[in-house]
Amino acid sequence: MKKIIFLLLIITLTSCGTFNKTSKIDEKTGLFPAKKNKIVTILKDEVVKRDTLKKLIIVPNDEYSIEMTKNLNYFDKILTFEEFQKDIISKKLDDKIPSVSDRIGLKNAYKHYGPFVILHFSKERKSNNELFAGLSLYDPNKADFIYQSEILVNLMWDGWTDQGTMYPLFNSLIDYLNKQK
């Protein structure tokens, strides 16, 4: 009995994993080094103008998001939400863009600041109690997501790891970005 408990403890500890190690894109594949068997489901995939899409992306205020987005080598400019708000103020647009916390404020920001998209991460437990992680791009001009993907997070076997969760999501984003005209 002690051996079984010990084995279950080892499996649990080694499968939980973390996602905090950024990676560069492999020059041969053009992708991040993800586990091969991980399947990303694309929920939304709208074609947009490449020139508009790549001008600016707003990312969450954490180093992982910043580094992984930089490693995509796609966007001309990357700002965190905090940097974005400071830039709006420095350009004296705060009277035209009083808030970027809702759809109307983001639409105003797009109109007065210029084109940008927002990188969004999500996690959700579905009705069957399975956990999914998601990565999306929000277009404030359309006031909707232009790209959404999700991946099943199997906490027992894969854990929530870079190679099993985040890299496959970013690889699906790379595929999406490469398809834009």
Side-chain angles (χ1 to χ4, degrees), residues 59-108:
V59 300
N61 295 328
D62 65 78
E63 286 301 315
Y64 186 85
S65 299
I66 296 165
E67 284 302 312
M68 287 298 288
T69 305
K70 282 180 185 176
N71 292 345
L72 292 171
N73 299 317
Y74 183 85
F75 297 96
D76 296 336
K77 190 173 182 181
I78 300 166
L79 295 175
T80 65
F81 262 102
E82 185 176 329
E83 293 167 334
F84 183 51
Q85 290 172 327
K86 286 179 181 179
D87 205 29
I88 288 170
I89 293 167
S90 73
K91 292 181 178 181
K92 302 193 185 317
L93 294 171
D94 47 318
D95 60 331
K96 295 178 181 175
I97 310 167
S99 171
V100 288
S101 62
D102 60 18
R103 289 177 191 240
I104 295 169
L106 290 170
K107 177 87 171 178
N108 283 332

Side-chain angles (χ1 to χ4, degrees), residues 136-177:
S136 307
L137 283 180
Y138 180 82
D139 181 350
N141 189 45
K142 294 182 178 198
D144 202 359
F145 288 99
I146 54 173
Y147 174 76
Q148 290 179 294
S149 64
E150 70 178 13
I151 190 168
L152 174 65
V153 180
N154 184 334
L155 293 174
M156 183 63 175
W157 300 112
D158 289 331
W160 189 304
T161 63
D162 295 307
Q163 294 81 16
T165 305
M166 299 310 292
Y167 295 169
L169 287 171
F170 273 101
N171 286 343
S172 72
L173 179 60
I174 289 170
D175 292 341
Y176 170 75
L177 295 173

Side-chain angles (χ1 to χ4, degrees), residues 7-115:
L7 181 62
L8 288 174
L9 180 62
I10 295 295
I11 290 171
T12 303
L13 290 175
T14 58
S15 68
C16 289
T18 61
F19 65 96
N20 57 12
K21 184 178 179 188
T22 60
S23 176
K24 301 281 185 193
I25 292 176
D26 183 289
E27 291 180 18
K28 292 178 186 173
T29 65
L31 300 171
F32 292 105
K35 286 186 176 181
K36 303 283 186 232
N37 62 343
K38 298 303 289 187
I39 298 170
V40 175
T41 303
I42 307 303
L43 304 172
K44 192 168 195 177
D45 182 349
E46 289 187 18
V47 175
V48 295
K49 290 183 182 178
R50 182 183 186 107
D51 293 340
T52 304
L53 177 64
K54 68 182 295 176
K55 285 187 179 183
L56 171 63
I57 186 166
I58 309 301
V59 300
N61 295 328
D62 65 78
E63 286 301 315
Y64 186 85
S65 299
I66 296 165
E67 284 302 312
M68 287 298 288
T69 305
K70 282 180 185 176
N71 292 345
L72 292 171
N73 299 317
Y74 183 85
F75 297 96
D76 296 336
K77 190 173 182 181
I78 300 166
L79 295 175
T80 65
F81 262 102
E82 185 176 329
E83 293 167 334
F84 183 51
Q85 290 172 327
K86 286 179 181 179
D87 205 29
I88 288 170
I89 293 167
S90 73
K91 292 181 178 181
K92 302 193 185 317
L93 294 171
D94 47 318
D95 60 331
K96 295 178 181 175
I97 310 167
S99 171
V100 288
S101 62
D102 60 18
R103 289 177 191 240
I104 295 169
L106 290 170
K107 177 87 171 178
N108 283 332
Y110 190 94
K111 179 180 173 184
H112 297 289
Y113 186 92

